[in-house]
Each structure stands twice: as C-alpha cells, then as structure tokens.
Amino acid sequence: MPGAVGRPGWRTFDSCLGRARRSAGVRAPGGRIRNRRSHACRTLWREAREEQSGVNKHKPWIETSYHGVITENNDTVILDPPLVALDKDAPVPFAGEICAFKIHGQELPFEAVVLNKTSGEGRLRAKSPIDCELQKEYTFIIQAYDCGAGPRETAWKKSHKAVVHIQVKDVNEFAPTFKEPAYKAVVTEGKIYDSILQVEAVDEDCSPQYSQICNYEIVTTDVPFAIDRNGNIRNTEKLSYDKQHQYEILVTAYDCGQKPAAQDTLVQVDVKPVCKPGWQDWTKRIEYQPGSGSVPLFPSIHLETCDGAVSSIQITIELHTNYIGKGCDRETYSEKSLQKLCGASSGIIDLLPSPSAATNWTAGLLVDSSEMIFKFDGRQGAKIPDGIVPKNLTDQFTITMWMKHGPSPGVRAEKETILCNSDKTEMNRHHYALYVHNCRLVFLLRKDFDQADTFRPAEFHWKLDQICDKEWHYYVINVEFPVVTLYMDGATYEPYLVTNDWPIHPSHIAMQLTVGACWQGGEVTKPRFAQFFHGSLASLTIRPGKMESQKVISCLQACKEGLDINSLESLGQGIKYHFNPSQSILVMEGDDIGNINHALQKVSYINSRQFPTAGVRRLKVSSKVQCFGEDVCISIPDMDTYVMVLQAIEPQITLRGTDRFWRPAAQFESARGVILFPDIRIVSTLAKAEAPGDLKTTAPKSAVLEEMLHNLDFCDILVLGGDLDPRQECLELNHSELHQRHLDATNSTAGYSIYGVGSMSRYEQVLRHIRYRNWHSASLEARRFRIKCSELNGRYTSNEFTLEVSVLHEVRVSDKEHVNHLIVQPPFLQSVHHPESRSSIQRSSVVPSIATVVIIISVCMLVFVVAMGVHRVRIAHQHFTEEAEAAKEAEMDWDDSALTITVNPMEKHEAPGRGEDDTEEEEEEEEEEEGDEDISSSSSDSDDSEDQEEERMGRGRRGQSGARQAQLEWDDSALPY
C-alpha cells in the first residue's frame, strides 16, 4: 500500500483528471467527466480503482460524547474532549485522512470544520450569534468522514454517531426591573411590623448568577424603614400620624452580578392614626380676602367618634381678636365721628383726642399701635385744660371708654385712676373720679353742700372678671343721680356695693381734671400726680347733661368682624345656637352627629370693614360630649386654628380741579367773596392687575385703575405763605351746608378743617361752598391754599391739591382816546385765550360815523360768536349749581363806574321783544350744538376759570337792570351770522 501512491497508473490518472477538469470544469451527473479526454480518464480511473481495491478498510473513530461551552454573542465552542477523528488506515492517503464532520439536526446554529485532514483535528463553531435568553443548551449528533479510497472522494467511511451537548454561557446584559412601578401600603401608627410589604424585581438574564436578585436596598436616607434580601420592608421605629402622615421611599435591586436596577421603585407608606375621637378634615389656616363677605371656616369638617355612643354634643367656637385694635377690627374713626354715626346726642367731649394744635394735652402720652389708643405705664398723666369740661356735670351725664387692663402690679394694689377731678391747690378733695382698685371698677361722685346737706351715695363698686383679663372692653357709665348704671360690652351691670358719704363743703378752690392719674394739689410739699393707671385707654368721653340710650351704646361697641352662620334655615332641626353680643363666641348644641357636622360647616367669618386690618384672627373650637347611660364618654380635643385677613388694596384718593384763577377786586371785597373750589372733584381708585388676554404670552400684567366709593373723615384747607390776617381776610362757609351733610368744621387763621364721616360727594359739595373774602384786596397779589383729605383718621390720605388765586387788576381807558381803540383788548385780557363777555369791552361816549359803527358791529359780532361758542363748550362741562347761584350775585359785577361807555345809536330802534327773541334763538342754537360732538379745549385750568367768570359777570350785569341792559347791548338780531 505505501508504494501505491507513486504508481504510474495513479499519476497518469491524476494528470488526466486534472486536465479534464481544467478543460471542461464540469462534472456530469454521476461524477463522470464530460470532455474529449473523458474516455481516456475513465480508463485510467478503472485501472486505478482496480489497483487500489481493498485499501480503505477502517472507519474513522471519534469520542462517543462531547460537552461544549459557548459564550453568548460569541462563535467559538470549547469542547471537552477536543474534536479529533482517528482512522486506522492512516498514513494511507485518502483512506487514512479525515475530510469532514457532519452535524445531524435541523436548523442548528452550529457547524463543524476540519482543521487538519491528516491529524483529524476539527472545530465546532456557531454560524450565527447565540442568545442564552432564547436557548440555554443544545444537543445534537456528529459524525466524522474519511476521504474515501482515492482522490475521487468515493467510498467514504463515516464514524459512529457521537452526542454533542453544548451549554450557552450567560453574559450579564440585563438589569433588574421591578414587577410594579410603585408599591403602596397602609400602617397603623404606634406598631412595629415584621413586614409591611414586599417588593419584587426580576432579571431577564438566563443564568442563575445574573438572573437572580441577590440584594435590595432603600435609596432614600433618614427614613425609619429597612429591607431584607427578599424585598420585605419593615419599620424600624413606631410611626406617628401627627409627626408624618405619609412616607415616600425609593428602593433599588441588585442581581448576583451586582448590577443595579435600571429604575428605582417608589414605595408609599401611609400612616393611619389610631382611631382617636376628634374633628377631621379641617385646615389650620383660613385666608380671608377683604370684601369677600361671609367665608365658611370649616366647609368639610366632621366629627370622628370611633363608634362611641354619643347622646349629645355642645360646641363652642371662640374668635379671639383682643389684640386687633380695640379688641376687634372696629373702625378707626375718631370718637366724635363714631358718636355721630351711631346717632349719639351732641355735646360729647373727647378727653383723649389725637394730638393736635388745639388738643395738645395728649401729646406727651404713649401711643399704642394707633393714634387713637393711649398706653399708660404707671408714670404718666394728662391734665385736661380748663373750659373743656363744665365744672358742674348736673345730675345726668355719661362717661364712655375703651379699656384694656390686667392685674394690678405689686403685692398691695393701689388705686389706678382713669379719670379724676380734684382740687387744683390747697386741699386734696376728689369731686368725681373713675378708677380701678383690686380688679374692681369704682366710680366716685361727691355732691356739693349747696345741693343737699344729706348723706348720699358717693361710691359705686362693680366686681367683674373682665376688668383684669388684659382684653379690650367697652364701658359706659350712665349717671342719673342717685342711680348709676354700668354697661360693659353692651350688657347691663348694677353695682354690687354703694357707699354713702357727706357732700363736700363749698369752696372757691379751682379744680383740675386729669386722665391716667389724679392731681394731688394739697397736703403735699409739691403738687404732683398720684394713683397712676396701668393699662390702655381709648375713646374716653364725657357727655354732660344727658345719658346715652341702649341703642347708641350697642352701636358704639359693635364689632365690624365676627362669627356668622351662612344659612340659618339649613341648620336643621334639633340644633340650638347662641351668639354673644359681639358675635365673637358661638355655642351650638345638638343630639345628632350628622346635624352637628352640617351645622358646623355653615359657620363662617365675616368682616364688614371696607379696609380691614390685616393679620391673624385666632379661633378655638372646644367640644363637650354626653353619652348614653353609664358609658364612658369620649374626649374631643380642642381645635386651634386661625383666620388670616389679607392686606386690602389701598385706595388712591385724588383731588382735582382748577388750580389757578384771577378775580376782580370787587369780588374779593363783596359780601359773598370768591368761591375757591367751584369744580373740585374727589376720586378714589384701586390699582388692580389685569391678566393678559393671551395665556401663552409672558408679557407683564398691566395695572387697571378701578374707581371706588368710600367715606372720608376730614379735609383740611391750609393757608400757605402765612396765616390769614383777620383784620382784612377770612375763609367762610355757611353752617347750613355742614349741617345738611352731617359734617362739622373748625375755622382759624391757619385754615379751615372739615371733619366727620361722610361720603366723598358730601365733602365735594361742602368744599365747593368755601369762600374767601378780602376787603382790602388792593394790596393782595396772590393767595395760595392747599387741600388734603383723609380716610380712617389718616390711614389713607389724598394728594395735596394747591390753589392760587389772584386779583385781576382793571385798566382804565381815557375819554380822549379815539373810538377805533375800542377794538383793542385791555392788557389784562390778553392772557385769556377765549374772551367771552361783550360787556368787558371798553366803549367811548363819542358818537361814531356810519362806517365806524359798521366796523364796530362786525367786530362785536365776531367776538360774540366766538364767545357764544366757548360759552356752550363751558356749559357742557359745567355741573355745579352753586356756581350758577354765585353768578347771579350783584357783587360779581365789574367795578366799571369810572369807565366811559360808547352808546350804540342803533339801539334806539331796538324792538321791545328783542331780549326774549334773542334768548329763544340762543336756546335753539344751544340745543342744536348739544347734538353735535363736544369740542375739546386745549386751554389751561386758569383760562377756564377766567372764561367762566367773565360769562358770569356778563349774565349778572344783564340781570340787574333792564334799562341798563338796553343801553349796553348791541341790536344784532337782524344781522346775518
């Protein structure tokens, strides 16, 4: 056999076969060579086959089984043992060589290749990427084939079948994912749980190493929870509902390859309180927008009884406003204004007014949060000047005050004087006094001997807890001697103790009235204050000669804010309720829990002030429960909340009108004088933000001015440039104008002050009647006045409106001047843009010629037409009846006694009815012009005033005398316009 390879027959055959393949390159079916040399080759093949018959005697040999490993996404299979085929025919060519390994199976992703035919080494590899997640293992059959008996690849022998088992090695390519995106659990407070809930994550990798979750971890820090390797979450400490209602924690997972989860999961743990009786679903803070009316406090509240058997329940809602103003959000108007608003009788004397030039005795006192509230620290007192309060109060009078007082300092409490009338010198007698002693209110009243020489009641004592509770209360002492009645917060209290005493001996010693302490004028080396008051006082007044009614007292202490019930009809049956007089306390009672819940949902807060004081209003809700039979009643904890009153939008008060004008000297010197503010206007606006129309735009919001109406409480007219000289000038106002509008005023050389609560229109009407007189106006060049108005005692003030008035000096025309000079305007009229009055033209007594008369008539007609046009424009803007009345006064005329007047000779032919016809014609023209559009004027305010004044002078002169009018009027009725 070894020598067979080199035999000539095989070499000849190989050469023939090679040439045949190269020349034809085609093998016919059955393996025959089809070309022109095919016959010779077949002959050689037969010879070679015969020559080699009996050489390929053995089958290849391989192992019976193989175990392989392949890493996913790789193509190399590592077999154990290695893939090697052996053949006993070796080293015989072909028969002893391995030509192929064949795999048996369908759609297997593997193939076997021969690396070395002689050695029989082979390799198993993947034809495509292997994915462990699709198939973890493969098993198939493999066989080895030798090369046969010769080069013609015939008579191949195959080995036995071997089993190949391949395992796919996993790669950690997937991260763990949680089965649920979020987990939620509810726990009860105060318990430790072994497992609150279990989270679970999975991994899509195929191997146990990478597909199993080996660890869980809580990502959120500082939470009282822990988690084990199985995903069980537990709490590490007892949870409290009051401390935190809900916990949100993030949890992640790791596979055994330590690859973390792609996304953490959210675990929400709600803490459920242990069933405790109490009110549920209410908010700690309730916001109140000014102007909102009645706002519910607890719209969703309900009572949790924990299945307790409740037979009845009583609820008390308390609104605490003792630190807001005078114990409540009351109007901060002056006491006199409040007295007027409530219809109190006149003659009330305010003993603690706001400091001013006229009321300077309160200037040294401490002010507590408002100019209307005075704080006494036990070291201050105020002397009331003589003449403010009458010496004798008669048998009827009233004392009113707001007082906030706490327990008296010191171990041994001394008298704390509120009001005291004592001897100014020599002696130390107290004629009447109001003081606090050991939380008792005492009123002292000593009668004089000239009234009666008998033992009479002198001291009246009231013992009330409110006197020392450090809260504001309203006190009214009505005296109708010998009966003295105390009203506190509108309720009546009789004295528990009345002490009698002898009258005081008559003397001529002057008396001193004081507030906050008592004046000790005698029995001491140096007169001084004593028995100082510790606390706060406001609106301390005295009304000699009359007592206040219960209605007025209730009005004065009424509060502008309080509790309210939205709908009394909807309370349902079985609900009893009660308000205290100030509506700061509401008590409700019922036997059905559902009805009680519904009734409490109707309770609201209301503040009727237009500009309420911003800040906190505390609320306290307390409950008392009764149970059936001998059942142990539940305890309902108190509910503390508050109302936050938001800041109101502040109004902008604006004064407008003519700020400069001139008047003839005669008007200043007349009996009525000059009206200073005929067209004054008071406007109040609010600036509100307007949202843009397009919601997508980010342009800033624009402010919109919205006009509003509210009251004023004073307007001051100040004289600038020095006080008025009472010898030659003054400001005047008819008292009827004030009384009709329920306002008051004070007049001085420094100005005029109008005060009292009234609407802006009332103040406008009064200001339009202020007159200025100067009966020596020849030396007057100009006078300036300034107005400033206020609301809520200066909380909101207007702009400072300044007016300047001047004397309009006249220019005389000489008799010798030519008549043609008449068409030239006087110098003082050159500043007026629209001359209106024909009577203001100076006329000569010289009789003109026909041409001159025609020229004069034409000029006068032109002036008349212009004047009438301007006059109609002014009339369209004139809304003040007072100005029309003032225009009719005789004092408004020009002082033209020294002027020479040119008489129109054509007036002799004037028809008797010319005045009425002309008036009708003017009225028709005015009606036609009113239908047209209004003509806007560009003249200044001062020009308007001068034009109006000239028109009034012309009308006044025509109205004085018909004869004089006939002489001064041109007969232009027949002339064309």
Side-chain angles (χ1 to χ4, degrees):
M1 292 297 293
V5 176
R7 289 182 180 181
W10 283 109
R11 289 194 298 269
T12 304
F13 171 74
D14 290 339
S15 176
C16 178
L17 181 61
R19 288 193 300 270
R21 287 178 176 173
R22 285 192 298 270
S23 62
V26 177
R27 181 181 295 273
R32 292 180 298 176
I33 301 300
R34 301 179 66 183
N35 54 29
R36 58 187 178 178
R37 298 180 185 271
S38 60
H39 179 71
C41 288
R42 283 196 298 269
T43 302
L44 291 175
W45 170 254
R46 283 195 302 268
E47 292 177 353
R49 185 176 182 184
E50 293 175 355
E51 181 181 354
Q52 294 294 334
S53 59
V55 174
N56 191 8
K57 296 179 179 181
H58 300 94
K59 297 178 180 180
W61 178 89
I62 58 175
E63 298 287 344
T64 58
S65 65
Y66 293 91
H67 293 275
V69 176
I70 183 173
T71 303
E72 63 176 340
N73 300 325
N74 202 344
D75 62 348
T76 301
V77 179
I78 301 175
L79 286 177
D80 183 24
L83 182 60
V84 177
L86 300 177
D87 196 323
K88 291 183 178 180
D89 293 326
V92 177
F94 300 106
E97 295 177 341
I98 304 300
C99 280
F101 293 97
K102 292 187 178 181
I103 295 174
H104 300 280
Q106 294 181 353
E107 299 181 358
L108 291 173
F110 298 99
E111 63 179 357
V113 296
V114 178
L115 298 179
N116 191 323
K117 292 182 179 183
T118 303
S119 63
E121 296 181 27
R123 177 180 294 176
L124 190 64
R125 62 186 182 187
K127 296 187 294 183
S128 60
I130 303 299
D131 191 351
C132 179
E133 286 70 37
L134 295 179
Q135 189 169 343
K136 299 179 181 180
E137 296 179 349
Y138 294 89
T139 303
F140 52 86
I141 303 297
I142 190 171
Q143 285 181 302
Y145 289 80
D146 61 13
C147 294
R152 299 176 181 177
E153 298 180 3
T154 57
W156 283 11
K157 292 185 180 294
K158 55 185 177 182
S159 69
H160 59 270
K161 295 180 179 180
V163 178
V164 179
H165 181 75
I166 298 177
Q167 185 176 8
V168 181
K169 186 178 181 181
D170 189 19
V171 174
N172 195 4
E173 57 183 337
F174 292 100
T177 58
F178 287 92
K179 288 186 175 182
E180 300 292 338
Y183 295 83
K184 187 173 183 179
V186 179
V187 297
T188 303
E189 65 175 349
K191 294 178 62 178
I192 296 293
Y193 290 82
D194 293 334
S195 177
I196 297 174
L197 59 89
Q198 183 182 19
V199 298
E200 186 178 358
V202 295
D203 196 312
E204 295 183 3
D205 289 315
C206 64
S207 64
Q209 179 182 4
Y210 299 139
S211 64
Q212 292 182 0
I213 306 301
C214 285
N215 191 23
Y216 291 92
E217 181 180 319
I218 295 177
V219 179
T220 308
T221 59
D222 299 329
V223 289
F225 298 96
I227 190 170
D228 61 15
R229 62 185 305 168
N230 295 321
N232 294 305
I233 298 177
R234 60 183 177 86
N235 57 317
T236 57
E237 62 183 48
K238 294 181 180 180
L239 305 180
S240 172
Y241 177 81
D242 295 333
K243 181 179 179 182
Q244 191 165 345
H245 295 356
Q246 185 184 84
Y247 292 88
E248 291 185 348
I249 58 177
L250 294 176
V251 176
T252 189
Y254 295 90
D255 61 17
C256 293
Q258 293 302 308
K259 191 168 188 175
Q263 185 175 1
D264 301 335
T265 188
L266 175 66
V267 178
Q268 180 177 307
V269 180
D270 293 332
V271 182
K272 184 178 69 174
V274 176
C275 187
K276 297 178 182 178
W279 296 103
Q280 304 291 331
D281 295 338
W282 55 274
T283 56
K284 184 76 174 178
R285 172 189 171 110
I286 303 109
E287 290 190 353
Y288 183 83
Q289 184 68 41
S292 301
S294 184
V295 174
L297 295 172
F298 317 107
S300 304
I301 197 170
H302 67 276
L303 180 63
E304 176 62 61
T305 61
C306 296
D307 300 326
V310 177
S311 61
S312 67
I313 183 171
Q314 184 185 80
I315 305 170
T316 303
I317 304 105
E318 299 178 73
L319 177 67
H320 297 281
T321 59
N322 55 332
Y323 48 91
I324 305 295
K326 292 177 288 188
C328 152
D329 199 8
R330 293 178 172 88
E331 295 284 3
T332 54
Y333 292 130
S334 65
E335 187 63 22
K336 284 188 177 180
S337 298
L338 289 175
Q339 298 275 1
K340 273 201 168 186
L341 287 174
C342 291
S345 56
S346 59
I348 295 173
I349 303 170
D350 191 357
L351 300 180
L352 284 176
S354 297
S356 65
T359 58
N360 58 358
W361 65 86
T362 59
L365 300 179
L366 297 176
V367 178
D368 184 9
S369 74
S370 171
E371 292 185 0
M372 310 291 292
I373 298 175
F374 297 90
K375 184 176 181 179
F376 295 86
D377 57 359
R379 293 176 294 181
Q380 288 182 318
K383 292 182 180 180
I384 308 299
D386 297 337
I388 300 296
V389 180
K391 180 179 179 181
N392 296 321
L393 296 178
T394 70
D395 290 339
Q396 283 189 353
F397 60 92
T398 299
I399 298 175
T400 66
M401 67 174 179
W402 285 95
M403 181 178 74
K404 182 170 70 172
H405 181 265
S408 301
V411 179
R412 182 179 179 181
E414 297 182 355
K415 294 180 180 179
E416 298 181 53
T417 301
I418 301 169
L419 181 66
C420 180
N421 189 27
S422 60
D423 291 334
K424 184 177 291 188
T425 57
E426 299 182 19
M427 304 181 70
N428 194 30
R429 299 175 302 175
H430 295 185
H431 297 264
Y432 62 87
L434 181 64
Y435 59 90
V436 175
H437 189 212
N438 290 324
C439 292
R440 291 169 173 82
L441 186 66
V442 182
F443 177 64
L444 170 68
L445 180 62
R446 300 287 301 278
K447 288 290 184 178
D448 294 337
F449 258 110
D450 55 359
Q451 296 174 342
D453 190 7
T454 59
F455 213 48
R456 286 197 165 194
E459 285 189 359
F460 303 84
H461 298 250
W462 292 273
K463 185 179 181 181
L464 302 171
D465 295 336
Q466 291 87 341
I467 295 174
C468 291
D469 64 358
K470 296 183 180 181
E471 295 187 6
W472 283 103
H473 298 282
Y474 187 59
Y475 299 86
V476 177
I477 298 175
N478 264 352
V479 179
E480 190 174 16
F481 196 82
V483 178
V484 178
T485 305
L486 171 67
Y487 294 88
M488 189 194 70
D489 295 338
T492 306
Y493 296 89
E494 298 296 334
Y496 81 96
L497 176 64
V498 178
T499 304
N500 297 330
D501 202 348
W502 292 103
I504 295 178
H505 291 281
S507 65
H508 298 286
I509 301 175
M511 291 180 290
Q512 177 64 62
L513 182 62
T514 57
V515 174
C518 195
W519 182 253
Q520 192 172 3
E523 302 176 359
V524 291
T525 306
K526 182 179 179 181
R528 58 182 174 85
F529 281 116
Q531 301 176 2
F532 290 96
F533 179 72
H534 297 78
S536 297
L537 295 175
S539 305
L540 177 61
T541 67
I542 190 167
R543 170 64 174 89
K546 194 170 183 180
M547 295 190 306
E548 290 297 352
S549 64
Q550 177 72 41
K551 180 180 179 181
V552 172
I553 293 172
S554 299
C555 174
L556 289 173
Q557 67 91 32
C559 186
K560 294 295 184 179
E561 65 176 341
L563 300 173
D564 190 23
I565 297 179
N566 283 339
S567 176
L568 296 176
E569 295 80 7
S570 64
L571 286 182
Q573 298 180 353
I575 299 296
K576 300 177 183 179
Y577 68 92
H578 172 72
F579 283 101
N580 68 333
S582 62
Q583 288 196 209
S584 61
I585 300 177
L586 171 61
V587 180
M588 305 178 72
E589 186 175 355
D591 53 7
D592 183 79
I593 299 299
N595 290 341
I596 284 290
N597 292 337
H598 184 71
L600 191 54
Q601 292 170 5
K602 299 295 181 181
V603 177
S604 60
Y605 169 81
I606 188 171
N607 195 318
S608 59
R609 283 190 59 181
Q610 194 171 18
F611 306 107
T613 303
V616 172
R617 312 302 198 265
R618 295 191 180 93
L619 277 169
K620 181 179 181 181
V621 180
S622 55
S623 309
K624 294 181 180 179
V625 177
Q626 292 184 356
C627 299
F628 292 99
E630 298 180 356
D631 295 341
V632 178
C633 270
I634 59 177
S635 177
I636 307 297
D638 293 342
M639 185 169 57
D640 292 318
T641 181
Y642 64 93
V643 178
M644 174 58 73
V645 179
L646 304 179
Q647 182 67 47
I649 302 177
E650 296 188 0
Q652 301 293 328
I653 307 173
T654 306
L655 302 177
R656 302 171 183 166
T658 302
D659 58 359
R660 186 179 183 184
F661 63 81
W662 295 264
R663 293 291 184 270
Q667 293 188 24
F668 287 97
E669 299 174 2
S670 64
R672 286 188 56 86
V674 173
I675 295 178
L676 292 180
F677 313 104
D679 57 351
I680 192 71
R681 285 278 289 133
I682 305 176
V683 179
S684 183
T685 55
L686 290 178
K688 292 186 176 181
E690 182 182 31
D694 188 3
L695 297 178
K696 297 181 181 180
T697 60
T698 58
K701 298 180 180 180
S702 59
V704 177
L705 295 180
E706 183 176 306
E707 190 168 339
M708 67 174 303
L709 298 177
H710 58 80
N711 291 330
L712 300 176
D713 54 3
F714 71 81
C715 283
D716 288 337
I717 305 167
L718 302 178
V719 180
L720 304 181
D723 291 351
L724 297 175
D725 186 354
R727 295 171 298 178
Q728 69 175 26
E729 57 183 343
C730 67
L731 291 173
E732 292 182 347
L733 178 65
N734 292 335
H735 291 288
S736 60
E737 299 293 340
L738 293 169
H739 295 160
Q740 291 175 5
R741 295 165 180 85
H742 306 286
L743 299 176
D744 292 321
T746 57
N747 193 2
S748 67
T749 57
Y752 215 103
S753 182
I754 305 168
Y755 59 90
V757 181
S759 64
M760 294 185 292
S761 61
R762 288 185 181 180
Y763 271 88
E764 281 183 357
Q765 295 167 5
V766 172
L767 289 174
R768 291 170 187 169
H769 286 81
I770 296 289
R771 302 186 306 275
Y772 170 66
R773 293 181 60 200
N774 191 317
W775 44 92
H776 295 292
S777 60
S779 60
L780 177 66
E781 292 296 332
R783 258 297 183 190
R784 296 173 67 237
F785 303 91
R786 177 175 295 167
I787 306 180
K788 188 175 183 179
C789 297
S790 159
E791 163 67 332
L792 295 179
N793 199 41
R795 179 176 174 184
Y796 305 113
T797 57
S798 70
N799 62 315
E800 294 182 347
F801 175 77
T802 303
L803 168 69
E804 180 177 330
V805 296
S806 303
V807 176
L808 193 62
H809 297 285
E810 302 172 2
V811 177
R812 300 180 184 274
V813 182
S814 175
D815 295 342
K816 297 180 180 181
E817 288 182 331
H818 193 270
V819 68
N820 289 340
H821 294 173
L822 297 176
I823 63 176
V824 180
Q825 295 184 3
F828 67 85
L829 288 180
Q830 291 179 2
S831 61
V832 181
H833 298 295
H834 303 285
E836 297 172 7
S837 177
R838 289 176 294 170
S839 61
S840 64
I841 302 177
Q842 306 302 313
R843 300 184 176 94
S844 174
S845 60
V846 179
V847 178
S849 63
I850 300 284
T852 304
V853 170
V854 172
I855 294 174
I856 293 175
I857 292 175
S858 301
V859 173
C860 292
M861 288 305 301
L862 177 60
V863 174
F864 175 78
V865 171
V866 174
M868 287 303 298
V870 176
H871 172 69
R872 288 163 186 156
V873 173
R874 297 294 180 270
I875 289 297
H877 292 83
Q878 187 71 19
H879 301 290
F880 312 115
T881 57
E882 293 82 4
E883 193 67 18
E885 294 175 0
K888 297 178 182 180
E889 295 295 333
E891 290 81 0
M892 303 297 286
D893 289 337
W894 291 86
D895 186 8
D896 53 4
S897 58
L899 298 178
T900 57
I901 302 175
T902 302
V903 180
N904 182 8
M906 298 183 69
E907 289 180 354
K908 298 178 181 179
H909 306 285
E910 182 178 358
R914 185 248 173 263
E916 296 178 359
D917 296 339
D918 191 27
T919 303
E920 293 176 358
E921 182 179 351
E922 291 179 1
E923 291 176 354
E924 291 176 359
E925 291 176 357
E926 289 175 3
E927 291 175 357
E928 292 175 0
E929 187 166 340
E930 287 175 358
D932 299 332
E933 295 182 0
D934 190 14
I935 303 175
S936 61
S937 175
S938 60
S939 60
S940 64
D941 294 338
S942 60
D943 298 335
D944 296 344
S945 302
E946 295 174 11
D947 296 340
Q948 293 171 2
E949 189 63 25
E950 291 174 10
E951 290 170 9
R952 290 196 299 271
M953 290 188 294
R955 291 195 300 270
R957 185 159 55 252
R958 289 194 296 271
Q960 287 180 5
S961 173
R964 184 180 180 185
Q965 181 182 12
Q967 293 178 0
L968 298 179
E969 293 290 339
W970 294 95
D971 184 11
D972 52 6
S973 60
L975 295 177
Y977 287 94

